[in-house]
Amino acid sequence: MESLLACARSWVKEHAGSQVPHLLRAEEWLRQINPAASEAMLLAALTHDMERAFPGPDSPKQDPSRGPDDPLYLQAHSERSARIVGDFLREQQAPPDLIEEVMALIRVHEVGGWPAADWVQAADSLSFLEVNVQPFLNMMSNTRTGWSPEKVRAKFSWMYTRIRLPEARQLATPLYQQALEKLRQQEEHLRHPGEPTPSLQE
C-alpha cells in the first residue's frame, strides 16, 4: 500500500506546483481524522485535484459569479481529475478494482455521498481551510479574477459547511474562523490601501 502511495506523492510533488501543499495535507488530514482510511481513500485525497497540474484545452474554468458550488464546474473538474489519476494508476499497474474505487471517490470529492466519499471530502475541506486561504485572499487584490470579497467569503463558507462529519466539522471550525478573520483584515486593507498591510501569514 505505501509503495503506491509513495509513488503517487512523488507524482504530485513533481507536477502539482502550487497545489502540492494542499494535496499532501489532504492525505495527512485524512490519516488524522480516519486512521482506518483505505488505500483508495488515501490515494483519492492525495490526488483529487490533479487535473489542475495538467492544463489543456479541456481544462474547466471556474467562474466565481456562478458560486463556489457551480455543478457544471465541479463535475467537469472532478471527472477530469478522475480520468488523469486513473491513467496514472494504470501506468503503475495498480489493481483495476483499486483504480475504479479511487476514480469513483475523486468524481465526488467535492460533494461526498457515501461514508468513504464523505471522509475524502472532509479531508479536502480541512486542507483547504488550512493552506489555501491565502491564495484566495491574494486574488481579491486583482478585480480581473472575479474573486470579490463576497465571492471569497462564499467559497470559504461552502468549504466549511459542506463537511458532513461532525468530528471533521469540529476540527474545521477554528480554521474557518481564522479564514474569516483574515478575510476581514484583507477587506479592511483593500478599503484603506495606504495603511500598513495586516499580518496574514498562514
Side-chain angles (χ1 to χ4, degrees), residues 73-89:
Y73 170 76
L74 296 181
Q75 181 176 358
H77 161 62
S78 300
E79 289 285 351
R80 190 170 185 269
S81 276
R83 185 172 69 252
I84 287 171
V85 174
D87 289 344
F88 166 77
L89 292 175

Side-chain angles (χ1 to χ4, degrees), residues 6 25 46 49 59 70 91 106 109 118 127 131 137 143-144 146-147 151 161 166-167 180:
R25 282 299 288 150
L46 174 63
D49 282 343
S59 295
D70 172 20
E91 290 173 2
I106 292 176
H109 77 268
D118 290 347
S127 177
V131 303
L137 297 178
T143 57
R144 289 177 296 179
W147 286 103
K151 298 294 190 299
T161 58
E167 54 269 60
L180 293 182

Side-chain angles (χ1 to χ4, degrees), residues 38-189:
S38 68
E39 182 178 24
M41 293 164 63
L42 293 167
L43 284 166
L46 174 63
T47 63
H48 65 272
D49 282 343
M50 279 303 285
E51 67 95 4
R52 293 176 181 149
F54 301 98
D58 62 337
S59 295
K61 299 292 187 292
Q62 186 167 19
D63 180 354
S65 68
R66 295 179 62 90
D69 57 347
D70 172 20
L72 295 178
Y73 170 76
L74 296 181
Q75 181 176 358
H77 161 62
S78 300
E79 289 285 351
R80 190 170 185 269
S81 276
R83 185 172 69 252
I84 287 171
V85 174
D87 289 344
F88 166 77
L89 292 175
R90 276 186 282 274
E91 290 173 2
Q92 310 310 310
Q93 299 182 330
D97 289 350
L98 176 63
I99 296 171
E100 288 305 314
E101 187 176 356
V102 172
M103 291 178 67
L105 288 169
I106 292 176
R107 288 190 187 102
V108 297
H109 77 268
E110 300 280 11
V111 296
W114 63 90
D118 290 347
W119 285 112
V120 172
Q121 181 205 48
D124 177 23
S125 279
L126 283 160
S127 177
F128 176 93
L129 291 169
E130 183 183 34
V131 303
N132 273 6
V133 165
Q134 192 61 50
F136 276 82
L137 297 178
N138 293 343
M139 285 192 287
M140 284 166 41
S141 301
N142 184 350
T143 57
R144 289 177 296 179
T145 67
W147 286 103
S148 66
E150 294 74 23
K151 298 294 190 299
V152 172
R153 182 178 290 104
K155 173 71 172 180
F156 292 172
S157 296
W158 181 68
M159 294 299 290
Y160 172 68
T161 58
R162 73 179 192 172
I163 300 173
R164 303 180 185 209
L165 304 166
E167 54 269 60
R169 178 76 70 90
Q170 185 175 7
L171 289 168
T173 297
L175 297 173
Y176 175 55
Q177 292 171 341
Q178 291 166 20
L180 293 182
E181 175 58 20
K182 290 178 181 179
L183 173 59
R184 186 196 66 76
Q185 292 179 5
Q186 183 75 341
E187 284 184 279
E188 188 68 18
H189 174 65

